[in-house]
């Protein structure tokens, strides 16, 4: 039985589903929407409605700094699990991961710098990867 490489879209969908499950299991808040997009060896992730009830309560009771501190601790605690999951799904090591959350809009952003491109059957569908591939071909000529 031959195993075919996944498409970029399949990896992005798998990441979306796994991230939603991870956040629900670990912090009790499933982001309503998760958007994953590869850009060369980078991965951008947007989580919508990612703020927990506890953070919302702190914001409502004028404890903005404490809510932000709680979010910082949540991001730090979940980061190793995110890295492990991203490496497992993409098959590529994570060099750096950056996270930020706007508590007022309930949107989180995650930027992942990978050690290389994921192995996909439609490499040209990854923005910038296509240009790199063309540049390498023209340099050989």
């Amino acid at each position: 039985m031959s195993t075919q490489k996944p498409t970029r879209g399949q990896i992005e969908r798998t990441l979306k589903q796994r991230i939603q499950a991870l956040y629900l299991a670990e912090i009790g808040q499933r982001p309503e929407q998760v958007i994953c997009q590869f850009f060369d060896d980078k991965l951008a992730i947007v989580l919508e409605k990612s703020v927990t009830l506890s953070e919302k309560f702190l914001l409502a009771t004028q404890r903005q700094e404490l809510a932000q501190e709680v979010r910082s601790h949540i991001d730090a605690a979940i980061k190793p699990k995110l890295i492990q999951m991203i490496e497992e799904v993409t098959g590529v090591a994570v060099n750096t991961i950056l996270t930020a959350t706007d508590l007022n809009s309930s949107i989180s952003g995650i930027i992942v710098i990978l050690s290389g491109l994921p192995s996909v059957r439609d490499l040209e569908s990854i923005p910038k990867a296509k240009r790199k591939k063309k540049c390498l071909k023209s340099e050989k000529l």
Side-chain angles (χ1 to χ4, degrees), residues 74-108:
I74 288 171
D75 288 344
I78 208 163
K79 193 179 282 191
K81 292 182 181 204
L82 265 174
I83 290 169
Q84 180 183 7
M85 185 263 303
I86 291 167
E87 289 178 342
E88 183 180 302
V89 171
T90 65
V92 180
V94 171
N95 286 344
T96 304
I97 187 167
L98 308 166
T99 59
T101 299
D102 181 339
L103 294 173
N104 296 314
S105 67
S106 191
I107 294 179
S108 298

Side-chain angles (χ1 to χ4, degrees), residues 17 23 28 32 42 58 63 75 83-84 95 115 124:
Q17 293 166 351
Y23 273 73
E32 189 173 289
K42 290 129 190 101
L58 291 171
R63 291 174 172 84
D75 288 344
I83 290 169
Q84 180 183 7
N95 286 344
S115 65
E124 66 282 351

Side-chain angles (χ1 to χ4, degrees), residues 12-29:
E12 290 170 348
R13 273 189 303 282
T14 300
L15 285 168
K16 170 189 170 171
Q17 293 166 351
R18 299 269 309 266
I19 289 168
Q20 285 179 315
L22 176 67
Y23 273 73
L24 180 59
E26 296 300 325
I27 64 173
Q29 175 69 30

Side-chain angles (χ1 to χ4, degrees), residues 102-122:
D102 181 339
L103 294 173
N104 296 314
S105 67
S106 191
I107 294 179
S108 298
I110 303 168
I111 302 294
V112 182
I113 311 299
L114 300 167
S115 65
L117 291 167
S119 181
V120 295
R121 67 176 178 237
D122 57 345

